Each structure stands twice: as C-alpha cells, then as structure tokens.
Amino acid sequence: MFVIGSGAQHLKKEIEGSAKIINVEIKKFPDGEKYVRILEEGEEATVIQSMYRPQDEHIIEAILIGDALRERGYKRVRIVVPYLAYSRQDRVTKEGEPISVRAIMRMLGLYYDELYVFDIHNPKTLEFFPGKAENVSPAKVIAEYFREKLGDGVVMAPDKGALERAKSVAEILDLEYSHFEKKRISPTEVQMTPVDVDVKGRNVLIVDDIISTGGTMIKAANLLRELGAKRIFVAATHGVFAEGAIERVSNAVDELAVTNTIPTPVSKISIVPEILRL
Ligand code: R5P
C-alpha cells in the first residue's frame, strides 16, 4: 500500500502495475501552503517521497502526509526517500550551524516508524532517525543496466570514499574494480590517478553517488581516455545536475545514465524494483 508524494510522481506509473496505491489529494492553497488528504482507510502504508528541488516543499509534504495517515488511523507507517535533501549537511563546519540532516531525520521520526533512503551520502547519519532506518543500494539496478555494454570491462570509483559502491556493482557483474586517488596539487587543482588497474583497450564504468557540476566525472573520464580506455560509461544514483552538467558530461563520455531517484532526462535506470522489494 503506497502513498506517492509529489516528489515521486514520476515513479507512479511503474509502481501502479505491481502494487496498490492509496488515493491522496495533494494541492496548494493560493498562499502557497500545501494541503494533503488521505482518501482511504487502512492499517499500513508506505509513503514514497523524493526530496529534490523544491526540497523544502517535498519535506513539508512528507510530514503532512505522515500526520494525515496517523490521523486517519494508520498504525504502521514507513517512508521511502529516493533522494534525501540536506544529506550532505551532516556536520557543523562553522560554529552556529545546524546538523541539517539530523533535523530532517528527527522530523520524519515524529511520524514514520521506518525510513528507507537510497544511497545516502553518509550512512552514519541514519542513526539520527529514531526508528528503523536503512540505506538502500542501487548497485543491482545500475549493474544490470550496464551488464551488456560493459562486457568484461572495469568498474571505477572516482575516489576512495566511493569504492564500496563500485565494488558492489563490480561484484554483481563479476568484474574488476578500482578507484582514483585524488591528490591536491594546488588550492584549485586536484590530480587524479587510477590505482592498480590497466584500462587500456577496456570498457570502463565510473560510478558515484551524486553528479552535480559533473567536474569529478569529466576529469576521471578524460584521464581514462588518455590512458587508452575503450568505451567510457558514467553512472550515479542521484542526478542533482547543475545547469549544463548533463550536456558537459554527455559530451565527455560514451554514455551517462543515472537512476530515477530524481527525474532528469538521463534518469534511465529505475529504482522501482528495489522499492517493491522493501
Ligand atoms: C562527493 O562527495 C560526491 O560523492 C560527488 O563526488 C560529488 O558531489 C560530485 O560533484 P561534481 O559533479 O560537482 O563533481
């Protein structure tokens, strides 16, 4: 039994075929405030709400849906968040700042028993949620999308921190994996070197959690090309994409594909099979 928020409408059609969707009315008052109404009774519900732009609106809507479900008598309420906004604001860097992701988790915890987030920036932050919280890996759907195209290629992480993700994808495909080492050579320049892997004449898939400006991926792809890589594919879970990033990355690689945690023109990999398994 799913309730689909405005941030997950792009997933509705695919979910509809396989699961029951609870009817909900969502609209905006003329002053801009949100209105939600749950139109069916029940015991258990799983809300799906992705929190991309307008982030704050999607967050408030998730809170209102949670409150409405409780008010309507739902006993067990879960939320699946394909993209969790504020997840990168996970520590105080200057005195006086909030730990924004903690604030969001605590708010969701007022209404939801369980939280499922796709590829959260820092899995440790799930501990801020008072109930059961899980990081959902998109490795399987990414791996299956690239299986044929990649052949016996290599899976690369753009940095050491992203290695686990690349490893998960590589293990599903039974392929070699590695990562780039990043070395700061000046305040504005970072040097990247692939570690212990020969990419000459081989297809390479670079996998990261987020693509924003595309700078990281373009740099990695250019380097792979210089080293003689054959076809270069780029994948990420969340296509946050700054202005012009899709074009810039697409021009630098053979194919760019992200999952549909955020709807974008290159969200070719669906996370719906993973949602239906939760
Ligand atoms: C960093 O922590 C993330 O994992 C990504 O590597 C980063 O957000 C990518 O940013 P950009 O596309 O702007 O290079």
Side-chain angles (χ1 to χ4, degrees):
M1 298 274 275
F2 289 104
V3 175
I4 311 221
S6 338
Q9 286 300 315
H10 60 290
L11 307 176
K12 190 173 179 179
K13 218 164 161 218
E14 205 182 331
I15 292 172
E16 231 160 28
S18 321
K20 162 96 176 77
I21 292 179
I22 299 168
N23 277 314
V24 55
E25 187 184 347
I26 302 175
K27 61 182 186 187
K28 244 186 205 180
F29 285 113
D31 64 358
E33 288 180 3
K34 272 273 159 87
Y35 171 90
V36 311
R37 185 169 167 234
I38 304 295
L39 300 170
E40 293 172 51
E41 277 177 357
E43 286 285 310
E44 293 184 7
T46 300
V47 175
I48 309 174
Q49 178 72 316
S50 198
M51 296 172 179
Y52 53 90
R53 210 183 289 252
Q55 297 90 330
D56 296 356
E57 211 175 281
H58 288 142
I59 291 166
I60 290 294
E61 196 185 291
I63 300 297
L64 297 181
I65 292 173
D67 199 88
L69 286 165
R70 295 295 186 192
E71 196 59 33
R72 188 100 213 220
Y74 282 78
K75 297 283 177 295
R76 182 167 173 250
V77 183
R78 315 190 302 166
I79 184 161
V80 176
V81 182
Y83 176 69
L84 181 75
Y86 293 93
S87 63
R88 284 176 285 179
Q89 296 185 44
D90 60 350
R91 77 193 82 160
V92 171
T93 55
K94 288 194 200 108
E95 203 180 348
E97 290 175 352
I99 297 176
S100 306
V101 68
R102 181 180 62 193
I104 304 298
M105 298 277 194
R106 285 180 175 169
M107 234 174 358
L108 293 172
L110 292 172
Y111 296 103
Y112 294 97
D113 302 308
E114 293 171 30
L115 166 71
Y116 298 85
V117 182
F118 273 82
D119 209 352
I120 192 164
H121 182 66
N122 174 1
K124 280 285 290 172
T125 57
L126 287 169
E127 289 169 15
F128 292 133
F129 185 78
K132 179 188 168 193
E134 213 175 274
N135 185 28
V136 187
S137 166
K140 189 161 184 287
V141 287
I142 292 177
E144 292 313 332
Y145 181 84
F146 282 104
R147 186 183 283 278
E148 295 288 310
K149 302 173 197 241
L150 199 51
D152 61 356
V154 185
V155 183
M156 295 285 298
D159 56 49
K160 206 170 177 188
L163 186 62
E164 274 307 308
R165 190 176 300 99
K167 181 180 173 205
S168 308
V169 173
E171 282 180 349
I172 293 166
L173 300 173
D174 203 13
L175 293 178
E176 195 184 342
Y177 64 92
S178 185
H179 68 94
F180 287 86
E181 194 98 303
K182 276 184 184 166
K183 197 169 139 202
R184 186 161 289 285
I185 49 172
S186 79
T188 51
E189 225 184 318
V190 174
Q191 194 179 53
M192 288 172 81
T193 329
V195 175
D196 293 336
V197 66
D198 185 8
V199 295
K200 200 169 168 34
R202 302 170 78 185
N203 294 333
V204 184
L205 169 66
I206 322 169
V207 194
D208 206 354
D209 59 342
I210 292 176
I211 300 177
S212 179
T213 63
T216 306
M217 288 301 201
I218 293 170
K219 199 162 189 159
N222 288 344
L223 196 61
L224 291 170
R225 234 184 265 283
E226 278 170 31
L227 294 169
K230 202 165 147 195
R231 300 185 74 205
I232 300 168
F233 306 107
V234 158
T237 312
H238 312 294
V240 173
F241 297 130
E243 180 81 34
I246 295 183
E247 290 70 25
R248 283 195 300 274
V249 178
S250 300
N251 290 338
V253 302
D254 290 274
E255 186 176 349
L256 160 67
V258 295
T259 79
N260 55 3
T261 59
I262 300 173
T264 79
V266 288
S267 298
K268 308 172 192 173
I269 307 169
S270 181
I271 55 157
V272 169
E274 296 300 324
I275 293 179
L276 295 174
R277 281 214 302 228
L278 295 173

